[in-house]
Amino acid sequence: MIRVLLADDEGMIRSALAALLRLEEDIEVVAECADGAEAVAEAERLRPDVCLLDLEMPHLDGVEVAQRLNRTLPTRCVIVTRHARPGVLRRALASGAVGFLPKSRPADEVAAVIRRVAAGGRYVDPEVAADALRDERSPLTDRELDVLRAGRHGETTRQIARTLSLAPGTVRNHVSAVLGKLAVDTRQQAVLLAEERGWI
């Protein structure tokens, strides 16, 4: 049996997918989680073969869950999302996830992906992969991306500086460079754009 953990903050989708996967003779759904923090805790407790993770969840998103689990467990992580943006695909693969597919796929296709990754393979939705080849790369440096990540929840310049061990003036310089490169007026707009394109 392939032991699967499901994590999705939308209860109806989570329950429906769990019910459909339980019809498969070789798949056992061992946990249904409503957010990323619960998914990490349950995965560490149950050690499933595959974690099927919604991208957008409270507390930790699917990519952050995959990053944490890949450091400590042999579980294989698949990211599922309603908005399969190419930048998010790159972020998901960088986290160690071995699968990426849109929520629009039917349950039998999801089951096939689970089997494939449980057997050691990988799966990336072909349409998303094709889009990713055409998608633009981030114009921001690694440090500029670090500044955006550290301030993505509205942290002050001083808080970002403390988090990254930088001087506040250095943080302001990085923010100014980011705004110029992305042609936006505020740091929050820059964060939203970077999230949309999967750069952070």
Side-chain angles (χ1 to χ4, degrees), residues 7 35-37 39-40 53-68 79 85 88 91-92 95 152-153 195 200:
D35 62 57
V40 170
L53 307 168
D54 184 24
L55 174 67
E56 294 165 2
M57 294 187 288
H59 306 305
L60 298 169
D61 70 22
V63 172
E64 291 166 326
V65 172
Q67 281 175 324
R68 291 191 183 203
I79 306 294
R85 299 181 299 270
V88 176
R91 189 172 154 245
S95 77
R152 74 195 302 178
H153 301 298
E195 286 177 338
I200 61 171

Side-chain angles (χ1 to χ4, degrees), residues 26-44:
D26 58 339
I27 293 175
E28 177 188 6
V29 177
V30 296
E32 298 176 46
C33 304
D35 62 57
E38 184 186 358
V40 170
E42 286 295 276
E44 289 174 344

Side-chain angles (χ1 to χ4, degrees), residues 1-131:
M1 292 289 280
I2 302 170
R3 301 172 69 252
V4 176
L5 176 148
L6 297 180
D8 193 312
D9 61 325
E10 296 180 71
M12 188 182 298
I13 290 175
R14 185 177 67 247
S15 299
L17 183 56
L20 290 167
L21 289 176
R22 285 187 173 111
L23 298 175
E24 303 289 332
E25 292 181 359
D26 58 339
I27 293 175
E28 177 188 6
V29 177
V30 296
E32 298 176 46
C33 304
D35 62 57
E38 184 186 358
V40 170
E42 286 295 276
E44 289 174 344
R45 184 174 73 85
L46 297 167
R47 303 178 71 85
D49 301 307
V50 176
C51 289
L52 202 62
L53 307 168
D54 184 24
L55 174 67
E56 294 165 2
M57 294 187 288
H59 306 305
L60 298 169
D61 70 22
V63 172
E64 291 166 326
V65 172
Q67 281 175 324
R68 291 191 183 203
L69 296 182
N70 280 320
R71 288 190 210 118
T72 57
L73 296 176
T75 191
R76 314 269 291 160
C77 294
V78 176
I79 306 294
V80 184
T81 180
R82 180 171 282 120
H83 307 291
R85 299 181 299 270
V88 176
L89 169 62
R90 284 197 296 272
R91 189 172 154 245
L93 296 178
S95 77
V98 294
F100 190 93
L101 69 159
K103 281 188 174 180
S104 57
R105 294 296 174 256
D108 60 339
E109 201 170 310
V110 176
V113 170
I114 288 170
R115 291 185 189 100
R116 183 171 179 166
V117 300
R122 293 174 172 267
Y123 178 85
V124 174
D125 180 75
E127 290 176 25
V128 178
D131 287 345

